[in-house]
Amino acid sequence: MKVAIIGQGYVGLTISAFAAEHFEVVGFDSNLNIVNQLNQGHSHIEGIESSQLGKLIKSGRYRATTQGRDIQGSDIVVIAVPTPLSPDRKPELSFIDAACKTIGQNLLHSALVINESTSFPGTLRNIIKPAIERYSSTQIEHLYAISPERVDPGRGDFNQKNTPRLYSGITSEATEKTRLFYSKFCDNLVEVSSPEVAEAAKLFENTFRQVNIALVNEFAQIAHSLGINVYETLDAANTKPYGFMKFTPSAGVGGHCIPVDPTYLAAVAEEHGAPATFIRRANEVNLEMPEYIVRRVAADNGGTLQGKSVLVVGVAYKPNVADVRETAAELVIQHLRSQGAVVSWHDEVVGSWKSESSAPLQGADITVVVTKHDLVDEKMILASAPYVFDTTGKVKGAKGL
Ligand SMILES: NC(=O)c1ccc[n+]([C@@H]2O[C@H](COP(=O)([O-])OP(=O)(O)OC[C@H]3O[C@@H](n4cnc5c(N)ncnc54)[C@H](O)[C@@H]3O)[C@@H](O)[C@H]2O)c1
C-alpha cells in the first residue's frame, strides 16, 4: 500500500515515520530545503531521529518530494499542512486549499483522504471534499475521513502509539479504512459519530488548555497583589483529589496549537451566532502576560529599564524544542525594548532567530527566564545577572510570578 503525506513538518514527518514502518510512504512538502534535508536523512523534528529516517530511506519505504505527481497511485493521502491565523486573526485555510489542489490534480484513482490538520467543524465535509473535487480533472470519488493529530513534540511518555486517536469518516467505508490504517501504529483508536465531532473535540481540547492557562495567569496576578505565593497556593489546591486540575502560570502560550486553535473555535461559533466570550478573553489574558511581567521587572528595578541590559533566557515556546512559533518570548522582548532595555537572548536549542543569535548566559543587569530547557543550568541562570525574574517557576532562588 502506498501512502502520501502532504506536509512534512511536526505532524506530517512524525506520521510518515510511523507509517513507513508498515507502508511505502511519500512525504510531499512544498519546501525544497526541507525535502532535500529529509532525503539526505536529516530530520528537522524533535522525536524523529535522523538515524531512524536514514534507515527508512535506505529500506526504500520513505522518500520526500516536492513533485505533486509523486503522490500518484497512493491508496491513502494524509493532509498535515499548517492552519494558522491570518494577519487579522481569522482562520487561514490557504495551505489546506493548496494541499487539496495537489491531491485533486494528481490522484487519478480513488483513495482515502484523511485530514490531520486542525480546523473547525465542517472543514472536511464542506471545504476539503469540494475543493479536491473541484481541482480534479476526473469524476473519481474519494473516501474522506478526519483523525486530528495530538502529537506533543518533544514529549517522551506519549507518542503516536500510546496516545488515543479520534477518527471518523464521511461514510462508514471511510471510517473503517481509517481505523485499519491507524491500527497499524496506534494502540487506542476512538471512533466518533461524525467528522464534525472529531474536529470540534480537537479544538475543544486545546481551548480547554488555553482557558485554564489564562485562568492561572490571572490568578498569578491576583496572588501577587495579595502577597500570596502562587505556586504554594496551586500546590495546596492540587491536594483536592477530584474536580481540580493544576495548571501553572507562564509568560503566555505559544506554538502552532494553543494560541491558534481556540480562535478557530471562536470564529466558527460567532459565525453561527453562538458566544465565544470566554475563549476571546482567555486569549487576551495570555497575550497581556508579557506586558505584566515587564511591569513587574521594571517595578523591582527602580521603576525603569532604560539602558539596562536584559537577557531573556529561552525563546522557544516550550522547553526542549526549537519551535518559536507564536512564542511569548517575542512579546516579552518587544515590551522590554519599548521600555528602553538593551535586550539579548540565550537559547542554545533555538540557536538563531529573527536574524539574531543566542547570546552567552552571563553578564546582564537583568535576566528574565521565559522558557527553561533541561540543558540550561539553574546555577548559571542565577549567576547571569544580579536580578533574575523567572516566569517558569523552575529556577529556585529567583524572583518570580
Ligand atoms: N505541531 C503540533 O504539535 C501539532 C499538534 C497537533 C496538530 N497540529 C496541526 O497539524 C497541522 C500541521 O502542523 P505542523 O506543526 O506539522 O506544521 P509545520 O509548520 O511543522 O509543518 C507543515 C509543513 O507543511 C508544508 N506545507 C505548507 N503548505 C504545503 C502544501 N501546500 N503542500 C505541501 N506541504 C506544505 C510546510 O513546508 C511545512 O513543512 C496544523 O493544522 C496544526 O494545527 C500540530
Side-chain angles (χ1 to χ4, degrees):
M1 197 146 84
K2 178 173 168 180
V3 177
I5 317 271
I6 314 294
Q8 292 294 283
Y10 282 90
V11 168
L13 186 62
T14 306
I15 210 78
S16 295
F18 277 83
E21 297 292 339
H22 307 273
F23 311 103
E24 178 200 342
V25 172
V26 172
F28 173 84
D29 200 290
S30 49
N31 183 324
L32 182 63
N33 279 342
I34 289 179
V35 165
N36 285 342
Q37 259 191 54
L38 292 173
N39 281 333
Q40 285 161 19
H42 299 305
S43 168
H44 61 300
I45 297 299
E46 293 87 9
I48 304 298
E49 297 301 324
S50 294
S51 56
Q52 181 189 359
L53 192 65
K55 270 190 215 143
L56 294 171
I57 292 170
K58 220 169 160 190
S59 69
R61 290 201 304 274
Y62 174 80
R63 76 191 157 103
T65 182
T66 54
Q67 301 299 313
R69 62 174 178 273
D70 290 340
I71 76 162
Q72 279 173 15
S74 297
D75 304 283
I76 295 178
V77 181
V78 178
I79 301 173
V81 295
T83 44
L85 296 174
S86 59
D88 57 348
R89 297 194 72 80
K90 300 243 163 63
E92 160 68 68
L93 294 189
S94 60
F95 298 96
I96 290 268
D97 188 68
C100 291
K101 191 171 183 181
T102 303
I103 296 168
Q105 290 179 341
N106 292 289
L107 268 197
L108 305 176
H109 75 251
S110 179
L112 170 65
V113 177
I114 305 171
N115 181 34
E116 287 210 23
S117 292
T118 307
S119 186
F120 48 80
T123 301
L124 181 74
R125 199 186 299 271
N126 304 326
I127 293 173
I128 292 178
K129 180 173 183 286
I132 292 176
E133 287 169 356
R134 202 170 55 245
Y135 287 120
S136 184
S137 56
T138 65
Q139 297 292 311
I140 350 156
E141 293 259 319
H142 297 301
L143 296 173
Y144 293 90
I146 171 100
S147 185
E149 182 52 64
R150 285 169 161 168
V151 67
D152 186 6
R155 189 169 189 129
D157 50 353
F158 282 102
N159 54 39
Q160 288 291 336
K161 192 158 167 55
N162 63 0
T163 306
R165 178 179 273 280
L166 304 178
Y167 70 101
S168 184
I170 288 183
T171 59
S172 51
E173 189 187 356
T175 305
E176 179 53 12
K177 285 198 167 166
T178 304
R179 187 187 68 75
L180 282 172
F181 171 60
Y182 287 109
S183 65
K184 293 278 188 230
F185 51 92
C186 177
D187 292 340
N188 193 346
L189 293 167
V190 183
E191 183 182 331
V192 293
S193 65
S194 70
E196 287 74 16
V197 170
E199 289 166 326
K202 170 71 194 176
L203 291 187
F204 189 68
E205 288 164 20
N206 284 346
T207 302
F208 174 86
R209 275 184 68 73
Q210 185 221 35
V211 167
N212 278 287
I213 291 167
L215 179 63
V216 81
N217 278 340
E218 191 165 86
F219 182 64
Q221 298 175 50
I222 296 170
H224 177 71
S225 71
L226 297 174
I228 297 167
N229 183 298
V230 66
Y231 298 105
E232 188 189 354
T233 313
L234 292 171
D235 285 341
N238 202 31
T239 59
K240 185 179 177 186
Y242 50 87
F244 183 78
M245 185 180 280
K246 185 177 156 187
F247 284 78
T248 45
S250 60
V253 293
H256 189 338
C257 298
I258 311 297
V260 175
D261 300 355
T263 303
Y264 270 64
L265 187 56
V268 77
E270 286 158 1
E271 217 177 282
H272 285 74
T277 41
F278 237 58
I279 304 173
R280 294 287 188 199
R281 184 63 197 131
N283 194 40
E284 286 165 10
V285 170
N286 286 329
L287 285 171
E288 285 159 11
M289 278 311 277
E291 197 179 353
Y292 169 75
I293 287 161
V294 171
R295 268 206 315 273
R296 289 269 309 269
V297 172
D300 284 352
N301 285 276
T304 176
L305 297 173
Q306 190 63 42
K308 295 195 170 120
S309 68
V310 181
L311 183 66
V312 171
V313 172
V315 295
Y317 85 88
K318 69 172 183 176
N320 310 325
V321 300
D323 195 344
V324 287
R325 289 177 295 181
E326 307 268 337
T327 175
E330 187 169 352
L331 282 179
V332 171
I333 291 170
Q334 255 177 40
H335 286 297
L336 287 167
R337 284 186 174 146
S338 74
Q339 298 294 308
V342 181
V343 185
S344 55
W345 53 267
H346 172 83
D347 192 324
E348 296 288 326
V349 177
V350 171
S352 59
W353 173 54
K354 288 179 161 273
S355 315
E356 293 174 19
S357 299
S358 176
L361 182 52
Q362 61 187 40
D365 297 325
I366 294 169
T367 288
V368 178
V369 185
V370 172
T371 300
K372 160 100 179 51
H373 298 302
D374 289 349
L375 61 79
V376 184
D377 185 67
E378 223 175 287
K379 287 199 192 87
M380 281 185 70
I381 294 177
L382 287 171
S384 65
Y387 171 91
V388 179
F389 189 93
D390 172 35
T391 69
T392 70
K394 289 181 182 167
V395 184
K396 307 275 167 307
K399 279 272 203 173
L401 287 166

